[in-house]
Coordinates of all heavy atoms in Angstrom, one line a residue:
M59 N -44.1 -5.0 19.6 CA -43.7 -3.7 20.0 C -42.3 -3.4 19.3 O -41.4 -4.2 19.4 CB -43.5 -3.7 21.5 CG -43.2 -2.4 22.1 SD -43.4 -2.6 23.8 CE -42.5 -1.2 24.3
D60 N -42.3 -2.3 18.6 CA -41.2 -2.0 17.8 C -40.4 -0.9 18.5 O -40.8 0.3 18.6 CB -41.7 -1.5 16.4 CG -40.6 -1.5 15.4 OD1 -39.6 -2.3 15.5 OD2 -40.7 -0.6 14.5
N61 N -39.1 -1.2 18.9 CA -38.3 -0.2 19.6 C -37.2 0.2 18.7 O -36.0 -0.2 18.9 CB -37.7 -0.8 20.9 CG -38.8 -1.0 22.0 OD1 -39.8 -0.4 21.9 ND2 -38.5 -1.9 22.9
R62 N -37.4 0.9 17.7 CA -36.4 1.4 16.8 C -35.9 2.8 17.2 O -36.7 3.7 17.5 CB -37.0 1.5 15.4 CG -37.4 0.1 14.8 CD -37.9 0.2 13.5 NE -36.7 0.4 12.6 CZ -36.8 0.5 11.3 NH1 -38.0 0.6 10.7 NH2 -35.7 0.7 10.6
I63 N -34.6 2.9 17.2 CA -34.0 4.2 17.7 C -33.6 5.0 16.4 O -32.9 4.5 15.5 CB -32.7 3.9 18.5 CG1 -33.1 3.1 19.7 CG2 -32.0 5.2 18.9 CD1 -31.9 2.6 20.5
P64 N -34.1 6.2 16.3 CA -33.7 7.0 15.1 C -32.2 7.4 15.1 O -31.6 7.5 16.2 CB -34.6 8.2 15.3 CG -34.9 8.3 16.7 CD -34.9 6.9 17.2
P65 N -31.7 7.5 13.9 CA -30.2 7.8 13.9 C -30.0 9.2 14.4 O -30.8 10.1 14.2 CB -29.9 7.7 12.4 CG -31.2 7.9 11.7 CD -32.3 7.3 12.6
L66 N -28.8 9.4 15.0 CA -28.4 10.7 15.5 C -28.1 11.6 14.4 O -28.4 12.8 14.4 CB -27.3 10.6 16.5 CG -27.5 9.8 17.8 CD1 -26.3 9.7 18.6 CD2 -28.6 10.5 18.6
I67 N -27.4 11.1 13.4 CA -27.0 11.9 12.2 C -27.6 11.1 11.0 O -27.3 10.0 10.7 CB -25.5 12.0 12.0 CG1 -24.9 12.7 13.3 CG2 -25.1 12.7 10.8 CD1 -23.3 12.7 13.2
T68 N -28.4 11.8 10.2 CA -29.0 11.2 9.1 C -28.0 11.0 7.9 O -27.0 11.7 7.9 CB -30.2 12.1 8.6 OG1 -29.6 13.3 8.1 CG2 -31.2 12.4 9.6
P69 N -28.3 10.1 7.1 CA -27.4 9.8 5.9 C -27.1 11.1 5.1 O -26.0 11.3 4.6 CB -28.1 8.8 5.1 CG -28.9 8.0 6.1 CD -29.3 9.1 7.1
F70 N -28.2 11.9 4.9 CA -28.0 13.1 4.2 C -27.0 14.1 4.9 O -26.2 14.7 4.2 CB -29.4 13.8 4.0 CG -29.3 15.1 3.3 CD1 -29.1 15.1 1.9 CD2 -29.4 16.4 3.9 CE1 -29.0 16.3 1.2 CE2 -29.3 17.5 3.2 CZ -29.1 17.5 1.8
A71 N -27.0 14.1 6.2 CA -26.1 15.0 7.0 C -24.7 14.5 6.8 O -23.8 15.3 6.6 CB -26.5 15.0 8.4
I72 N -24.5 13.2 6.8 CA -23.2 12.6 6.6 C -22.6 12.9 5.2 O -21.5 13.4 5.1 CB -23.2 11.1 6.9 CG1 -23.5 10.8 8.3 CG2 -21.8 10.4 6.5 CD1 -23.8 9.3 8.6
L73 N -23.4 12.8 4.2 CA -23.0 13.2 2.9 C -22.7 14.6 2.8 O -21.7 15.0 2.1 CB -24.2 12.8 1.9 CG -23.9 13.1 0.4 CD1 -22.8 12.2 -0.1 CD2 -25.1 12.8 -0.4
S74 N -23.5 15.5 3.4 CA -23.3 16.9 3.3 C -21.9 17.3 4.0 O -21.2 18.1 3.5 CB -24.4 17.7 4.0 OG -25.6 17.4 3.3
I75 N -21.7 16.7 5.1 CA -20.4 17.0 5.8 C -19.2 16.5 5.0 O -18.2 17.3 4.9 CB -20.4 16.3 7.2 CG1 -21.5 16.9 8.1 CG2 -19.0 16.3 7.9 CD1 -21.7 16.2 9.4
S76 N -19.3 15.4 4.4 CA -18.1 14.9 3.6 C -17.9 15.8 2.4 O -16.8 16.1 2.0 CB -18.3 13.4 3.2 OG -19.5 13.3 2.3
L77 N -19.0 16.2 1.7 CA -18.8 17.2 0.6 C -18.2 18.5 1.1 O -17.4 19.1 0.4 CB -20.2 17.4 -0.1 CG -20.7 16.2 -1.0 CD1 -22.1 16.5 -1.4 CD2 -19.7 16.0 -2.1
A78 N -18.6 19.0 2.2 CA -18.1 20.2 2.7 C -16.6 20.1 3.0 O -15.8 21.0 2.8 CB -18.9 20.7 4.0
L79 N -16.2 19.0 3.6 CA -14.8 18.8 3.9 C -14.0 18.7 2.6 O -12.9 19.3 2.6 CB -14.6 17.5 4.8 CG -15.0 17.6 6.2 CD1 -14.9 16.2 6.9 CD2 -14.2 18.6 7.0
G80 N -14.5 18.1 1.6 CA -13.8 18.0 0.4 C -13.7 19.4 -0.3 O -12.6 19.7 -0.8
A81 N -14.7 20.2 -0.2 CA -14.7 21.5 -0.7 C -13.7 22.4 0.0 O -12.9 23.2 -0.6 CB -16.0 22.2 -0.7
T82 N -13.6 22.3 1.3 CA -12.6 23.1 2.1 C -11.2 22.7 1.7 O -10.3 23.5 1.7 CB -12.9 23.0 3.6 OG1 -12.8 21.6 4.0 CG2 -14.2 23.6 4.0
N83 N -11.0 21.4 1.5 CA -9.7 20.9 1.1 C -9.2 21.5 -0.2 O -8.1 21.9 -0.4 CB -9.7 19.4 1.0 CG -8.3 18.8 0.8 OD1 -7.3 19.4 1.2 ND2 -8.2 17.6 0.2
V84 N -10.1 21.6 -1.2 CA -9.8 22.2 -2.5 C -9.5 23.7 -2.3 O -8.5 24.2 -2.9 CB -11.0 22.0 -3.4 CG1 -10.8 22.9 -4.7 CG2 -11.2 20.6 -3.8
V85 N -10.3 24.4 -1.5 CA -10.0 25.8 -1.2 C -8.7 26.0 -0.6 O -7.9 26.9 -1.0 CB -11.2 26.4 -0.4 CG1 -10.8 27.8 0.1 CG2 -12.5 26.4 -1.1
V86 N -8.3 25.2 0.4 CA -7.1 25.3 1.1 C -5.9 25.1 0.2 O -4.9 25.8 0.2 CB -7.0 24.4 2.4 CG1 -5.6 24.3 2.9 CG2 -8.0 24.9 3.4
N87 N -6.0 24.1 -0.7 CA -5.0 23.8 -1.6 C -4.7 24.9 -2.6 O -3.6 25.2 -3.0 CB -5.3 22.5 -2.4 CG -5.0 21.2 -1.6 OD1 -4.4 21.2 -0.6 ND2 -5.6 20.1 -2.1
K88 N -5.8 25.6 -3.0 CA -5.7 26.7 -4.0 C -5.0 27.9 -3.3 O -4.2 28.6 -3.8 CB -7.0 27.1 -4.5 CG -7.6 26.1 -5.5 CD -6.8 26.0 -6.7 CE -7.4 24.9 -7.6 NZ -6.6 24.6 -8.8
V89 N -5.4 28.2 -2.0 CA -5.0 29.4 -1.3 C -3.5 29.2 -1.0 O -2.7 30.1 -1.1 CB -5.8 29.6 -0.1 CG1 -5.2 30.7 0.8 CG2 -7.2 30.0 -0.5
T90 N -3.1 28.0 -0.5 CA -1.7 27.8 -0.1 C -0.8 27.3 -1.2 O 0.4 27.1 -1.0 CB -1.6 26.8 1.1 OG1 -2.2 25.6 0.6 CG2 -2.4 27.3 2.3
S91 N -1.3 27.2 -2.4 CA -0.5 26.7 -3.6 C 0.1 25.3 -3.3 O 1.3 25.1 -3.5 CB 0.5 27.7 -4.0 OG -0.1 28.9 -4.4
T92 N -0.6 24.4 -2.7 CA -0.1 23.1 -2.4 C -1.0 22.0 -3.1 O -2.1 22.3 -3.5 CB -0.1 22.8 -0.9 OG1 -1.4 22.9 -0.4 CG2 0.9 23.7 -0.2
N93 N -0.5 20.8 -3.1 CA -1.2 19.7 -3.6 C -0.9 18.5 -2.7 O 0.2 18.0 -2.7 CB -0.9 19.3 -5.1 CG -1.7 18.2 -5.6 OD1 -2.7 17.8 -5.0 ND2 -1.2 17.6 -6.7
E94 N -1.8 18.1 -1.9 CA -1.6 17.0 -0.9 C -0.5 17.3 0.0 O 0.3 16.4 0.4 CB -1.4 15.6 -1.6 CG -2.6 15.2 -2.5 CD -3.8 14.9 -1.7 OE1 -3.8 14.5 -0.6 OE2 -4.9 15.1 -2.3
G95 N -0.3 18.6 0.4 CA 0.7 19.0 1.3 C 2.0 19.4 0.7 O 2.9 19.9 1.4
T96 N 2.2 19.1 -0.6 CA 3.5 19.4 -1.2 C 3.3 20.7 -2.0 O 2.3 20.9 -2.6 CB 4.0 18.3 -2.1 OG1 3.0 18.1 -3.1 CG2 4.3 17.1 -1.3
P97 N 4.3 21.6 -2.1 CA 4.2 22.8 -2.9 C 4.1 22.5 -4.4 O 4.7 21.6 -4.9 CB 5.5 23.6 -2.6 CG 6.4 22.7 -1.8 CD 5.6 21.5 -1.4
T98 N 3.3 23.3 -5.0 CA 3.1 23.1 -6.5 C 3.9 24.1 -7.3 O 4.1 24.0 -8.5 CB 1.6 23.3 -6.9 OG1 1.2 24.6 -6.5 CG2 0.7 22.3 -6.3
T99 N 4.6 25.1 -6.6 CA 5.4 26.0 -7.3 C 6.8 25.5 -7.5 O 7.3 24.6 -6.8 CB 5.5 27.3 -6.5 OG1 6.0 27.1 -5.2 CG2 4.1 28.0 -6.4
T100 N 7.5 25.9 -8.5 CA 8.8 25.5 -8.8 C 9.8 26.3 -8.0 O 9.5 27.4 -7.5 CB 9.2 25.6 -10.3 OG1 9.0 27.0 -10.7 CG2 8.3 24.7 -11.1
Q101 N 11.1 25.9 -7.9 CA 12.1 26.6 -7.2 C 12.4 27.9 -7.9 O 12.5 27.9 -9.2 CB 13.4 25.8 -7.1 CG 13.4 24.8 -6.0 CD 14.8 24.1 -5.9 OE1 15.5 24.0 -6.9 NE2 15.1 23.7 -4.7
T102 N 12.6 28.9 -7.2 CA 13.1 30.2 -7.8 C 14.6 30.0 -8.0 O 15.3 29.1 -7.5 CB 12.9 31.4 -6.8 OG1 13.6 31.2 -5.6 CG2 11.4 31.5 -6.5
T103 N 15.1 31.0 -8.8 CA 16.6 30.9 -9.1 C 17.4 31.1 -7.9 O 18.4 30.4 -7.7 CB 16.9 32.1 -10.1 OG1 16.0 32.0 -11.2 CG2 18.3 32.0 -10.6
N104 N 17.0 31.9 -7.0 CA 17.7 32.1 -5.7 C 17.7 30.9 -4.9 O 18.8 30.5 -4.4 CB 17.1 33.3 -5.0 CG 18.0 33.7 -3.8 OD1 19.2 33.5 -3.8 ND2 17.3 34.3 -2.8
Q105 N 16.6 30.2 -4.8 CA 16.5 28.9 -4.0 C 17.4 27.9 -4.7 O 18.1 27.1 -4.0 CB 15.1 28.4 -4.0 CG 14.2 29.3 -3.1 CD 12.7 28.8 -3.3 OE1 12.3 28.3 -4.3 NE2 12.0 29.0 -2.2
K106 N 17.4 27.8 -6.0 CA 18.2 26.8 -6.7 C 19.7 27.1 -6.5 O 20.5 26.1 -6.3 CB 17.9 26.8 -8.2 CG 18.4 25.7 -9.0 CD 17.9 25.7 -10.4 CE 16.9 24.5 -10.6 NZ 16.5 24.4 -11.9
N107 N 20.1 28.3 -6.6 CA 21.5 28.7 -6.4 C 22.0 28.3 -5.0 O 23.1 27.8 -4.8 CB 21.8 30.1 -6.7 CG 21.6 30.5 -8.2 OD1 21.8 29.6 -9.0 ND2 21.4 31.7 -8.5
T108 N 21.1 28.6 -4.0 CA 21.5 28.3 -2.6 C 21.6 26.8 -2.4 O 22.5 26.3 -1.8 CB 20.4 28.9 -1.7 OG1 20.3 30.3 -1.9 CG2 20.8 28.6 -0.2
S109 N 20.7 26.1 -3.0 CA 20.7 24.6 -2.9 C 21.9 24.0 -3.6 O 22.6 23.1 -3.0 CB 19.4 24.0 -3.5 OG 19.5 22.6 -3.5
N110 N 22.3 24.6 -4.7 CA 23.5 24.1 -5.4 C 24.8 24.4 -4.6 O 25.7 23.7 -4.6 CB 23.6 24.7 -6.8 CG 22.6 24.1 -7.7 OD1 22.0 23.1 -7.5 ND2 22.3 24.8 -8.8
K111 N 24.8 25.6 -3.9 CA 25.9 25.9 -3.1 C 26.1 24.9 -1.9 O 27.2 24.5 -1.5 CB 25.8 27.3 -2.5 CG 26.0 28.4 -3.5 CD 25.9 29.8 -2.9 CE 26.0 30.9 -4.0 NZ 25.7 32.2 -3.4
I112 N 25.0 24.5 -1.3 CA 25.0 23.6 -0.2 C 25.4 22.2 -0.6 O 26.2 21.5 -0.1 CB 23.7 23.6 0.6 CG1 23.4 25.0 1.2 CG2 23.6 22.6 1.6 CD1 22.1 25.2 1.7
F113 N 24.6 21.7 -1.6 CA 24.8 20.3 -2.0 C 25.6 20.1 -3.2 O 25.9 18.9 -3.6 CB 23.4 19.7 -2.2 CG 22.5 19.7 -1.0 CD1 21.4 20.6 -1.0 CD2 22.8 18.9 0.1 CE1 20.6 20.6 0.1 CE2 22.0 19.0 1.2 CZ 20.9 19.8 1.2
G114 N 26.0 21.1 -3.9 CA 26.8 21.0 -5.2 C 25.8 20.8 -6.4 O 24.7 20.4 -6.2
T115 N 26.3 21.1 -7.5 CA 25.5 21.0 -8.7 C 25.4 19.5 -9.1 O 26.3 18.7 -8.9 CB 26.1 21.8 -9.9 OG1 27.4 21.3 -10.1 CG2 26.1 23.3 -9.6
P116 N 24.2 19.1 -9.6 CA 24.1 17.7 -10.0 C 25.0 17.4 -11.2 O 25.1 18.2 -12.2 CB 22.6 17.6 -10.4 CG 22.1 19.0 -10.5 CD 23.0 19.9 -9.8
K117 N 25.7 16.3 -11.1 CA 26.7 15.9 -12.2 C 25.9 15.2 -13.3 O 25.2 14.2 -13.1 CB 27.8 15.0 -11.6 CG 28.8 14.7 -12.6 CD 29.9 13.8 -12.0 CE 30.9 13.4 -13.0 NZ 31.9 12.4 -12.5
K118 N 26.1 15.6 -14.5 CA 25.5 15.0 -15.7 C 26.5 14.0 -16.2 O 27.7 14.2 -16.3 CB 25.2 16.0 -16.7 CG 24.1 17.0 -16.3 CD 23.8 17.9 -17.4 CE 22.7 18.9 -17.0 NZ 22.4 19.9 -18.1
K119 N 26.0 12.8 -16.6 CA 26.9 11.8 -17.2 C 27.1 12.1 -18.6 O 26.2 12.5 -19.4 CB 26.2 10.4 -17.1 CG 26.1 9.9 -15.7 CD 25.5 8.5 -15.7 CE 25.5 7.9 -14.4 NZ 25.0 6.5 -14.4
D120 N 28.4 12.0 -19.0 CA 28.7 12.2 -20.5 C 28.5 10.9 -21.2 O 28.3 9.8 -20.7 CB 30.1 12.8 -20.6 CG 31.2 11.9 -20.1 OD1 30.9 11.0 -19.4 OD2 32.4 12.2 -20.4
K121 N 28.6 11.0 -22.5 CA 28.3 9.9 -23.4 C 29.3 8.7 -23.2 O 29.0 7.6 -23.3 CB 28.3 10.3 -24.9 CG 27.8 9.3 -25.8 CD 27.6 9.8 -27.2 CE 27.5 8.7 -28.2 NZ 26.3 8.4 -28.7
A122 N 30.6 9.1 -22.9 CA 31.6 8.1 -22.8 C 31.3 7.2 -21.6 O 31.5 6.0 -21.6 CB 33.0 8.7 -22.6
D123 N 30.8 7.8 -20.5 CA 30.5 7.0 -19.3 C 29.3 6.1 -19.6 O 29.4 4.9 -19.2 CB 30.1 7.9 -18.1 CG 31.4 8.7 -17.6 OD1 32.5 8.2 -17.8 OD2 31.2 9.7 -16.9
T124 N 28.3 6.5 -20.2 CA 27.2 5.7 -20.5 C 27.5 4.5 -21.5 O 27.1 3.4 -21.3 CB 26.0 6.5 -21.1 OG1 26.4 7.2 -22.2 CG2 25.4 7.4 -20.1
D125 N 28.4 4.8 -22.4 CA 28.9 3.8 -23.4 C 29.7 2.7 -22.6 O 29.5 1.5 -22.9 CB 29.7 4.4 -24.5 CG 28.9 5.2 -25.5 OD1 27.7 5.1 -25.5 OD2 29.5 6.0 -26.2
K126 N 30.5 3.2 -21.7 CA 31.3 2.2 -20.9 C 30.4 1.3 -20.1 O 30.6 0.1 -20.0 CB 32.3 2.9 -20.0 CG 33.5 3.6 -20.7 CD 34.3 4.3 -19.7 CE 35.4 5.1 -20.4 NZ 36.3 5.8 -19.4
E127 N 29.4 1.9 -19.5 CA 28.4 1.1 -18.7 C 27.7 0.1 -19.5 O 27.5 -1.0 -19.1 CB 27.4 2.0 -18.0 CG 28.0 2.8 -16.8 CD 27.1 3.8 -16.2 OE1 25.9 3.9 -16.6 OE2 27.5 4.5 -15.3
K128 N 27.3 0.5 -20.7 CA 26.6 -0.4 -21.6 C 27.5 -1.5 -22.0 O 27.1 -2.7 -22.1 CB 26.1 0.4 -22.9 CG 24.9 1.3 -22.6 CD 24.5 2.0 -23.9 CE 23.4 2.9 -23.7 NZ 23.0 3.7 -24.9
E129 N 28.8 -1.2 -22.3 CA 29.7 -2.3 -22.7 C 30.0 -3.3 -21.6 O 30.0 -4.5 -21.8 CB 31.0 -1.6 -23.1 CG 32.0 -2.5 -23.8 CD 31.6 -3.1 -25.1 OE1 30.8 -2.4 -25.8 OE2 31.9 -4.2 -25.4
K130 N 30.1 -2.8 -20.4 CA 30.3 -3.6 -19.2 C 29.1 -4.5 -19.0 O 29.2 -5.7 -18.8 CB 30.5 -2.8 -17.9 CG 31.9 -2.2 -17.8 CD 32.0 -1.5 -16.5 CE 33.4 -0.9 -16.3 NZ 33.5 -0.1 -15.1
A131 N 27.9 -4.0 -19.2 CA 26.7 -4.8 -19.0 C 26.6 -5.8 -20.1 O 26.2 -7.0 -19.8 CB 25.4 -3.9 -19.1
K132 N 27.0 -5.5 -21.3 CA 26.9 -6.5 -22.4 C 27.9 -7.6 -22.2 O 27.6 -8.8 -22.4 CB 27.2 -5.7 -23.7 CG 27.1 -6.6 -25.0 CD 27.4 -5.8 -26.2 CE 27.3 -6.7 -27.4 NZ 27.6 -5.9 -28.7
E133 N 29.1 -7.2 -21.7 CA 30.1 -8.2 -21.5 C 29.7 -9.2 -20.4 O 29.9 -10.4 -20.5 CB 31.5 -7.6 -21.1 CG 32.2 -6.9 -22.2 CD 33.4 -6.1 -21.8 OE1 33.8 -6.2 -20.6 OE2 34.0 -5.5 -22.7
S134 N 29.1 -8.6 -19.3 CA 28.7 -9.5 -18.2 C 27.6 -10.4 -18.6 O 27.5 -11.6 -18.1 CB 28.4 -8.6 -16.9 OG 27.2 -7.9 -17.2
S135 N 26.7 -9.9 -19.4 CA 25.6 -10.8 -19.8 C 26.1 -11.9 -20.7 O 25.6 -13.0 -20.7 CB 24.5 -10.0 -20.5 OG 24.9 -9.4 -21.7
E136 N 27.0 -11.5 -21.6 CA 27.6 -12.6 -22.5 C 28.3 -13.6 -21.7 O 28.3 -14.8 -22.0 CB 28.5 -11.9 -23.5 CG 27.8 -11.1 -24.6 CD 28.8 -10.4 -25.5 OE1 30.0 -10.3 -25.2 OE2 28.3 -9.8 -26.5
K137 N 29.1 -13.2 -20.7 CA 29.8 -14.1 -19.8 C 28.9 -15.0 -19.1 O 29.1 -16.2 -19.0 CB 30.7 -13.3 -18.8 CG 31.5 -14.2 -17.9 CD 32.3 -13.3 -17.0 CE 33.2 -14.1 -16.0 NZ 33.9 -13.3 -15.1
A138 N 27.8 -14.5 -18.5 CA 26.8 -15.3 -17.8 C 26.1 -16.3 -18.8 O 25.9 -17.4 -18.4 CB 25.8 -14.4 -17.2
A139 N 25.8 -15.9 -20.0 CA 25.2 -16.8 -20.9 C 26.2 -17.9 -21.3 O 25.8 -19.1 -21.4 CB 24.8 -16.0 -22.2
K140 N 27.4 -17.6 -21.5 CA 28.4 -18.6 -21.8 C 28.6 -19.6 -20.7 O 28.6 -20.8 -20.9 CB 29.8 -17.9 -22.1 CG 30.9 -18.9 -22.5 CD 32.1 -18.1 -22.8 CE 33.3 -19.1 -23.2 NZ 34.5 -18.4 -23.4
E141 N 28.7 -19.1 -19.4 CA 28.8 -20.0 -18.3 C 27.6 -20.9 -18.1 O 27.7 -22.1 -17.8 CB 29.0 -19.2 -17.0 CG 30.3 -18.5 -16.9 CD 30.5 -17.6 -15.7 OE1 29.5 -17.4 -15.0 OE2 31.6 -17.1 -15.5
S142 N 26.4 -20.3 -18.4 CA 25.2 -21.1 -18.3 C 25.1 -22.2 -19.3 O 24.7 -23.3 -19.0 CB 24.0 -20.1 -18.5 OG 22.8 -20.8 -18.5
S143 N 25.5 -21.9 -20.5 CA 25.5 -22.9 -21.6 C 26.5 -24.0 -21.3 O 26.3 -25.2 -21.6 CB 25.7 -22.3 -23.0 OG 27.0 -21.7 -23.0
E144 N 27.7 -23.6 -20.8 CA 28.7 -24.6 -20.4 C 28.2 -25.5 -19.3 O 28.4 -26.7 -19.3 CB 30.0 -23.9 -20.0 CG 30.8 -23.3 -21.1 CD 32.0 -22.5 -20.6 OE1 32.2 -22.3 -19.4 OE2 32.7 -22.0 -21.5
K145 N 27.6 -24.9 -18.3 CA 27.0 -25.7 -17.2 C 25.9 -26.7 -17.7 O 25.9 -27.8 -17.3 CB 26.5 -24.8 -16.1 CG 26.0 -25.5 -14.9 CD 25.6 -24.5 -13.8 CE 25.2 -25.2 -12.5 NZ 24.7 -24.2 -11.5
K146 N 25.1 -26.2 -18.6 CA 24.0 -27.0 -19.1 C 24.6 -28.2 -19.9 O 24.1 -29.3 -19.8 CB 23.1 -26.2 -20.0 CG 21.9 -26.9 -20.5 CD 21.0 -25.9 -21.2 CE 19.7 -26.7 -21.7 NZ 18.9 -25.8 -22.5
A147 N 25.6 -27.9 -20.7 CA 26.3 -29.0 -21.5 C 26.9 -30.0 -20.6 O 26.8 -31.2 -20.9 CB 27.3 -28.3 -22.5
E148 N 27.5 -29.5 -19.6 CA 28.2 -30.5 -18.6 C 27.1 -31.4 -17.9 O 27.3 -32.6 -17.8 CB 28.9 -29.6 -17.6 CG 29.7 -30.5 -16.6 CD 30.5 -29.6 -15.6 OE1 31.1 -28.6 -16.0 OE2 30.3 -29.8 -14.4
E149 N 26.0 -30.8 -17.5 CA 24.9 -31.6 -16.9 C 24.4 -32.6 -17.9 O 24.1 -33.7 -17.5 CB 23.8 -30.6 -16.4 CG 24.2 -29.8 -15.2 CD 23.2 -28.9 -14.8 OE1 22.1 -28.7 -15.4 OE2 23.4 -28.2 -13.7
E150 N 24.2 -32.2 -19.2 CA 23.7 -33.1 -20.2 C 24.6 -34.2 -20.4 O 24.2 -35.4 -20.6 CB 23.3 -32.4 -21.5 CG 22.1 -31.5 -21.4 CD 21.8 -30.7 -22.6 OE1 22.6 -30.8 -23.6 OE2 20.8 -30.0 -22.6
S151 N 25.9 -33.9 -20.4 CA 26.9 -35.0 -20.6 C 26.9 -36.0 -19.5 O 27.0 -37.2 -19.7 CB 28.3 -34.4 -20.9 OG 28.8 -33.8 -19.7
K152 N 26.7 -35.5 -18.3 CA 26.7 -36.3 -17.1 C 25.4 -37.2 -17.2 O 25.5 -38.4 -16.9 CB 26.6 -35.5 -15.8 CG 27.9 -34.9 -15.4 CD 27.8 -34.2 -14.1 CE 29.1 -33.5 -13.7 NZ 29.0 -32.8 -12.5
K153 N 24.3 -36.7 -17.6 CA 23.1 -37.4 -17.7 C 23.3 -38.5 -18.8 O 22.8 -39.6 -18.7 CB 21.9 -36.5 -18.1 CG 21.4 -35.7 -17.0 CD 20.2 -34.9 -17.4 CE 19.7 -34.0 -16.3 NZ 18.6 -33.1 -16.8
G154 N 23.9 -38.2 -19.9 CA 24.2 -39.1 -21.0 C 25.0 -40.3 -20.5 O 24.8 -41.4 -20.8
L155 N 26.1 -40.0 -19.7 CA 26.9 -41.0 -19.1 C 26.1 -41.9 -18.2 O 26.3 -43.2 -18.2 CB 28.1 -40.4 -18.4 CG 29.2 -39.7 -19.3 CD1 30.2 -39.1 -18.4 CD2 29.8 -40.7 -20.2
L156 N 25.3 -41.3 -17.4 CA 24.5 -42.1 -16.5 C 23.5 -43.0 -17.2 O 23.3 -44.2 -16.9 CB 23.7 -41.2 -15.5 CG 24.5 -40.5 -14.4 CD1 23.6 -39.5 -13.7 CD2 25.2 -41.5 -13.5
C157 N 22.9 -42.5 -18.2 CA 22.0 -43.3 -19.0 C 22.7 -44.5 -19.8 O 22.2 -45.6 -19.8 CB 21.2 -42.4 -20.1 SG 20.1 -41.3 -19.3
K158 N 23.9 -44.2 -20.3 CA 24.6 -45.2 -21.0 C 25.0 -46.3 -20.0 O 25.0 -47.5 -20.4 CB 25.8 -44.6 -21.7 CG 25.5 -43.8 -22.9 CD 26.7 -43.2 -23.6 CE 26.3 -42.3 -24.7 NZ 27.5 -41.7 -25.3
S159 N 25.4 -46.0 -18.8 CA 25.9 -46.9 -17.9 C 24.7 -47.8 -17.4 O 24.8 -49.0 -17.1 CB 26.5 -46.3 -16.7 OG 25.6 -45.5 -16.0
R160 N 23.5 -47.3 -17.4 CA 22.3 -48.1 -17.0 C 21.9 -49.0 -18.1 O 21.4 -50.1 -17.9 CB 21.2 -47.1 -16.7 CG 21.4 -46.4 -15.4 CD 20.2 -45.6 -15.0 NE 20.4 -44.8 -13.8 CZ 19.7 -43.8 -13.4 NH1 18.6 -43.5 -14.1 NH2 20.0 -43.2 -12.3
I161 N 22.2 -48.6 -19.4 CA 21.8 -49.4 -20.5 C 22.6 -50.7 -20.6 O 22.2 -51.8 -20.9 CB 21.9 -48.6 -21.8 CG1 20.8 -47.5 -21.8 CG2 21.7 -49.5 -23.0 CD1 20.9 -46.6 -23.0
R162 N 23.9 -50.6 -20.3 CA 24.9 -51.7 -20.4 C 24.6 -52.7 -19.3 O 24.2 -53.3 -18.7 CB 26.3 -51.2 -20.2 CG 26.7 -50.4 -21.3 CD 28.1 -50.0 -21.2 NE 28.4 -48.9 -22.2 CZ 29.5 -48.2 -22.2 NH1 30.4 -48.4 -21.2 NH2 29.7 -47.3 -23.1

């Protein structure tokens, strides 16, 4: 005796519903000029001016500042490399002393 229960929603109906939901999402995005909930339009001049009044204009870095930052980064990396090589040389000399003392 075979007691199989037919599905309430057929696979074709599930597929049709998911396609319909996707299509409505595309339509809503086009009508409201959004993409995944965020606006796709750019700021108008009036909006940008108001934003700049509230938060201030974004400061651009000049070339002198970026050159100083590069120089500082270079100096710190050279200093770290020098310290690392000194530490390595010190460890090697300690190992050498330990090995010589064991040989004697």
Side-chain angles (χ1 to χ4, degrees):
M59 191 167 158
D60 195 33
N61 291 337
R62 297 183 75 184
I63 300 172
L66 295 175
I67 301 176
T68 64
F70 180 74
I72 294 171
L73 181 66
S74 299
I75 290 170
S76 63
L77 285 174
L79 286 173
T82 55
N83 188 26
V84 170
V85 170
V86 168
N87 284 343
K88 291 293 180 188
V89 170
T90 59
S91 298
T92 58
N93 182 17
E94 300 296 329
T96 59
T98 56
T99 57
T100 58
Q101 278 187 331
T102 63
T103 307
N104 189 24
Q105 290 172 331
K106 193 175 248 184
N107 290 339
T108 304
S109 178
N110 288 342
K111 286 178 185 176
I112 295 170
F113 299 110
T115 56
K117 183 180 177 185
K118 294 182 181 178
K119 291 185 177 182
D120 59 346
K121 188 172 167 104
D123 289 339
T124 55
D125 289 343
K126 287 179 186 177
E127 289 175 2
K128 286 179 184 178
E129 189 65 32
K130 283 182 182 179
K132 186 177 178 183
E133 289 174 2
S134 65
S135 66
E136 288 174 352
K137 183 180 177 184
K140 184 178 177 184
E141 289 174 356
S142 175
S143 63
E144 288 174 353
K145 187 176 181 181
K146 187 176 180 183
E148 185 179 310
E149 289 175 357
E150 287 178 359
S151 67
K152 285 181 182 179
K153 286 181 183 178
L155 291 175
L156 289 175
C157 292
K158 288 179 182 178
S159 64
R160 289 184 184 169
I161 293 173
R162 293 183 190 167

